[in-house]
Amino acid sequence: MRAFNQVTALVAPLDRANVDTDAIIPKQFLKSIRRAGFGPYLFDEWRYLDHGEPDMDCTHRPVNKDFVLNKPEYKGAEILLTRENFGCGSSREHAPWALEDFGFRAIIAPSFADIFYNNCFKNGLLPIALPAEQVDELFKELITGYQLTIDLDQQQITTPSGKKITFAIDEERKYRLFNGLDDIALSLQHAEQIKAYEVERAKRAPWLFAE
Amino acid sequence: MSGKTLYDKLWDDHVVYTEDDGSALIYIDRHLVHEVTSPQAFEGLRLAGRKPWRAARNLAVADHNVPTTDRDKGIADPVSRLQVETLDQNCAEFGITEFDMNDDRQGIVHVIGPEQGATLPGMTVVCGDSHTSTHGASGALAFGIGTSEVEHVLATQCLIQKKAKNLLIKVNGKTGPGVTAKDIVLAIIGKIGTAGGNGYTIEFAGSAIRELSMEGRMTVCNMAIEAGARAGLVAVDDVTIDYYRDRPYSPKGNDWFMAERYWQLLHSDDDAVFDKVIELDAGGIKPQVTWGTSPELVVAVDQNVPDPAQEPDAVKRQSMIRALEYMDLKAGQAITDIAVDKIFIGSCTNSRIEDLRAAAVVAKGKKLADNIKLALVVPGSGLVKRQAEAEGLDKIFIEAGFEWRDPGCSMCLAMNADRLEEGERCASTSNRNFEGRQGYGGRTHLVSPAMAAAAGIAGHFVDVSSWEVQQ
């Protein structure tokens, strides 16, 4: 997993609440058995005027010029600013895969759906929850070329005017994202504890171990 | 010290170790696997040279992509076919039990888990699917996970989790005629919103929940995720224990008696403290119909489409305006004036035998209205299908003009051939009315099975609570 340290990047505003994972990556693309290549289909139904299908070449598809990510001034944006409950709905990890593949490194919103929030950390993507008023202020401040600096170690966002906004994050999640660590390898360091748990549990609930 | 909630008990029972920041490694008793969210996880295992920690704790089934007709001919769409074949190959390679597409026990993963007794009270249950919350109906801690976590469970039989907060939703009193578990949960979502349960595990309680069958409780817990909560729970009682007796994977002999004794402890203590409590009066709930593109945009069938101008919050108002536009509806329009094109009775929310019975009662001896282009009944599993046929429900549906299909997720998310065309409107017993969910440009109204069947017969939404009497 890609480590996240400090990012200074252009911000794209997606001014909608309850953006669901069906909107982030529609179901037809979930038929892929690969983990990469979802970026071209990110927000497919909003980004294009036709109906997208897996493995379609997107370079000649008719685009929706009004959609924020199609506007030239947001080309290359790596930070997405959006509204409450981002990533609600399905558990599909294809949603963070698509956002990451498109080029996003961080998402700022008043709140995230729990499963999506969790999935981001497995893919080097930093979801930052800020109070709704602060998000609202960022939306109001946002002008062409608006950039933010996100420092994970300091848990701090710096706006173009130099204002600092701190954000909260679990220590364990921060540590893993900051270092780009593999969860499974870390958990397997506790293999003996897992085995001990199984022995103890089998005494309490033998029916679960009647294999 | 105050007592424990049901969620506290389930959590404490599964902690392997806790980190300083409160995140914990918790043990997973049952992992359900389907074709859409698992291929990359198996690939990850292969690349790292890892094996499943305990292969027997996994149970796999293909449900999202499978066709609901002509199954003996296989899957026509080559991309879908490859995904299902990949699951077959992965299960064979890693020694995981799979009910294949032609197995009688095949069905929607959240229907077959309880049906087989593969998901039991007191278990931790996970699956790469958000509707895993369904299994909480048995007093199991069940929640959806992403593909990285699927791989983590396969490799370690554990997950890294942070404990959620406790939310109690009490539905007091008795529901009126025609009001089902689906209407209860839609009313709850309408009240607390789709983000209302974010960060919480919801325990559903109160007399109206106690009155529900296990299948009704599954419908309620299924949609906990639509209220923002990863997990929903209902405490164990005699209804739970009776349900699990003699299921294929249920404990047998002495194990059963031990399990039963343990399961009876699976309820919140009287002095347990919840972080938040919400109460609803069941008597005030009418049959529900969603009108927008989020499950929280819901009203009772005898109401009108709300007016965004009355909404003080600007972000919400914008969402409402957008939803009205997408749904091609006008503020103030009566719900009963909305005509539909298609009917979908199925999904992990409402495809169990009681759901099919409820729809069949409405459809019996009637015909679909002329404006209905297609009405699908998709049983949740091969065994549900067989049971329905034994009861003659298939004939009732077919005579009324419905199509009787093979089990799978079908038009809930339209990954197979069953879908809405652009602009089509559907009365659906599924769980999500998001833009494009049932097909590009399709419009979804979420309702109960009886309400869906009645909309098919009338051609538009009708209030089943009074409509049945008039017929």
Side-chain angles (χ1 to χ4, degrees):
Chain A
M1 187 179 79
R2 187 173 176 188
F4 192 111
N5 185 357
Q6 204 188 60
V7 168
T8 298
L10 191 66
V11 182
L14 182 65
D15 197 356
R16 290 182 195 188
N18 297 315
V19 172
D20 59 75
T21 53
D22 275 86
I24 297 171
I25 184 85
K27 72 277 200 153
Q28 62 270 32
F29 303 106
L30 274 52
K31 294 179 185 180
S32 169
I33 57 171
R34 289 170 297 144
R35 202 175 182 122
F38 294 102
Y41 312 110
L42 174 72
F43 297 117
D44 197 84
E45 292 189 5
W46 293 345
R47 239 167 106 193
Y48 303 100
L49 297 170
D50 63 344
H51 177 60
E53 282 297 332
D55 296 325
M56 213 175 204
D57 176 6
C58 294
T59 49
H60 301 294
R61 290 177 63 189
V63 300
N64 172 9
K65 291 196 173 63
D66 295 330
F67 184 61
V68 58
L69 297 184
N70 289 329
K71 293 184 179 171
E73 61 264 39
Y74 297 117
K75 196 172 159 53
E78 292 179 23
I79 299 168
L80 188 68
L81 178 66
T82 186
R83 299 288 185 179
E84 65 172 14
N85 203 27
F86 187 83
C88 62
S90 146
S91 64
R92 60 189 70 166
E93 198 163 317
H94 311 68
W97 292 341
L99 287 158
E100 197 268 345
D101 194 53
F102 182 85
F104 284 112
R105 305 291 315 279
I107 306 161
I108 302 172
S111 62
F112 295 89
D114 292 344
I115 302 178
F116 175 83
Y117 184 78
N118 206 44
N119 284 340
C120 284
F121 287 99
K122 316 289 183 193
N123 295 286
L125 198 58
L126 174 61
I128 300 174
L130 294 179
E133 309 77 62
Q134 271 178 350
V135 170
D136 215 34
E137 249 175 67
L138 292 175
F139 266 103
K140 282 179 187 146
E141 260 184 37
L142 198 145
I143 47 161
T144 307
Y146 189 83
Q147 292 202 341
L148 290 173
T149 296
I150 299 170
D151 186 320
L152 177 59
D153 189 39
Q154 297 297 313
Q155 296 178 217
Q156 205 165 57
I157 300 169
T158 309
T159 71
S161 65
K163 195 175 82 175
K164 312 260 187 220
I165 301 167
T166 53
F167 59 89
I169 181 171
D170 288 338
E171 274 307 312
E172 193 57 34
R173 280 186 165 131
K174 175 177 164 180
Y175 168 72
R176 288 173 191 222
L177 182 60
F178 189 79
N179 295 292
L181 297 174
D182 171 11
D183 277 352
I184 297 176
L186 289 175
S187 292
L188 283 173
Q189 288 175 2
H190 297 271
E192 290 311 313
Q193 275 169 285
I194 301 172
K195 285 180 193 159
Y197 171 87
E198 286 181 324
V199 169
E200 181 267 331
R201 185 87 190 289
K203 289 181 195 151
R204 288 188 287 132
W207 61 91
L208 295 175
F209 294 82
E211 284 164 12
Chain B
M1 213 180 95
S2 60
K4 287 181 174 183
T5 66
L6 171 55
Y7 174 55
D8 296 339
K9 291 181 185 181
L10 292 168
W11 176 269
D12 291 350
D13 245 6
H14 290 89
V15 172
V16 175
Y17 74 86
T18 308
E19 295 277 359
D20 293 340
D21 77 336
S23 60
L25 194 69
I26 66 161
Y27 194 77
I28 303 303
D29 295 320
R30 174 64 71 190
H31 182 209
L32 301 169
V33 179
H34 66 81
E35 78 276 21
V36 179
T37 56
S38 67
Q40 298 87 351
F42 283 114
E43 183 64 12
L45 282 192
R46 249 190 306 271
L47 290 172
R50 290 175 178 136
K51 295 254 172 297
W53 181 274
R54 230 172 230 280
R57 293 302 182 90
N58 300 278
L59 178 64
V61 72
D63 55 4
H64 284 62
N65 277 281
V66 298
T68 57
T69 53
D70 302 320
R71 203 163 270 187
D72 51 329
K73 295 190 186 119
I75 303 175
D77 175 357
V79 192
S80 288
R81 189 170 61 235
L82 176 64
Q83 195 166 55
V84 173
E85 286 170 356
T86 303
L87 179 68
D88 297 343
Q89 286 159 11
N90 283 329
C91 289
E93 181 184 338
F94 289 101
I96 289 170
T97 303
E98 184 198 8
F99 297 161
D100 71 37
M101 207 170 78
N102 296 308
D103 192 311
D104 224 16
R105 299 168 297 176
Q106 182 272 341
I108 305 173
V109 66
H110 307 308
V111 173
I112 69 163
E115 185 175 79
Q116 292 292 320
T119 59
L120 295 167
M123 276 184 165
T124 40
V125 177
V126 298
C127 174
D129 190 284
S130 60
H131 290 112
T132 310
S133 58
T134 311
H135 308 267
S138 69
L141 176 59
F143 53 90
I145 57 178
T147 299
S148 295
E149 290 179 311
V150 169
E151 186 181 337
H152 194 283
V153 176
L154 284 167
T156 68
Q157 206 55 45
C158 290
L159 270 182
I160 304 158
Q161 293 290 302
K162 189 115 193 219
K163 196 178 172 195
K165 290 180 284 183
N166 281 290
L167 168 59
L168 177 67
I169 297 186
K170 281 185 85 173
V171 189
N172 304 312
K174 247 180 124 57
T175 49
V179 175
T180 68
K182 181 66 164 287
D183 303 298
I184 293 175
V185 72
L186 283 172
I188 290 170
I189 296 164
K191 184 178 168 88
I192 73 172
T194 49
N198 281 6
Y200 290 96
T201 290
I202 302 177
E203 180 174 344
F204 298 99
S207 52
I209 300 294
R210 286 279 135 239
E211 285 286 309
L212 293 174
S213 66
M214 272 304 295
E215 296 191 1
R217 294 174 190 184
M218 289 179 209
T219 300
V220 173
C221 288
N222 173 274
M223 291 190 72
I225 184 67
E226 262 52 69
R230 278 180 94 167
L233 293 169
V234 175
V236 171
D237 60 13
D238 289 347
V239 173
T240 323
I241 288 168
D242 287 343
Y243 178 90
Y244 284 100
R245 220 178 285 280
D246 300 324
R247 303 245 162 211
Y249 284 74
S250 286
K252 307 279 183 297
N254 194 45
D255 275 353
W256 169 264
F257 294 107
M258 267 189 91
E260 193 182 335
R261 265 208 308 277
Y262 168 65
W263 294 345
Q264 271 158 350
L265 306 172
L266 297 175
H267 54 80
S268 292
D269 295 331
D270 291 340
D271 56 344
V273 178
F274 288 82
D275 297 286
K276 195 155 113 183
V277 179
I278 292 168
E279 304 210 28
L280 270 86
D281 169 28
I285 300 173
K286 294 206 167 130
Q288 305 280 303
V289 182
T290 67
W291 58 269
T293 52
S294 162
E296 69 185 26
L297 302 177
V298 63
V299 290
V301 63
D302 59 358
Q303 292 182 311
N304 298 335
V305 174
D307 185 356
Q310 308 293 318
E311 172 57 54
D313 182 283
V315 176
K316 279 190 187 152
R317 189 164 58 241
Q318 265 326 104
S319 303
M320 288 173 76
I321 292 169
R322 221 191 121 75
L324 285 181
E325 197 181 315
Y326 182 86
M327 294 297 289
D328 191 29
L329 294 173
K330 300 227 159 11
Q333 193 174 349
I335 294 291
T336 48
D337 284 346
I338 301 172
V340 296
D341 304 301
K342 286 184 175 171
I343 307 294
F344 174 60
I345 297 173
S347 87
C348 56
T349 314
N350 280 130
S351 64
R352 298 173 188 86
I353 190 68
E354 292 172 13
D355 299 315
L356 304 189
R357 285 178 191 145
V361 165
V362 175
K364 191 170 185 177
K366 313 227 172 54
K367 295 277 179 225
L368 288 172
D370 292 342
N371 59 310
I372 303 297
K373 296 180 194 165
L374 179 71
L376 297 184
V377 184
V378 185
S381 72
L383 297 179
V384 170
K385 185 175 189 201
R386 203 206 286 165
Q387 174 67 27
E389 288 172 352
E391 296 178 19
L393 305 185
D394 56 326
K395 292 196 182 62
I396 294 174
F397 288 122
I398 291 165
E399 278 163 21
F402 291 80
E403 292 190 17
W404 181 245
R405 296 288 187 93
D406 286 327
C409 299
S410 179
M411 208 161 73
C412 172
L413 86 168
M415 274 190 81
N416 68 354
D418 310 335
R419 62 187 64 175
L420 299 182
E421 298 303 325
E422 204 169 339
E424 280 181 343
R425 191 181 294 285
C426 182
S428 178
T429 66
S430 56
N431 41 55
R432 290 189 176 134
N433 51 356
F434 300 153
E435 289 182 22
R437 171 82 180 181
Q438 293 193 291
Y440 180 74
R443 298 172 178 136
T444 304
H445 296 269
L446 304 175
V447 289
S448 74
M451 284 287 288
I457 304 302
H460 56 89
F461 291 108
V462 286
D463 183 351
V464 280
S465 61
S466 54
W467 188 69
E468 275 175 81
V469 186
Q470 293 166 14
Q471 291 293 300

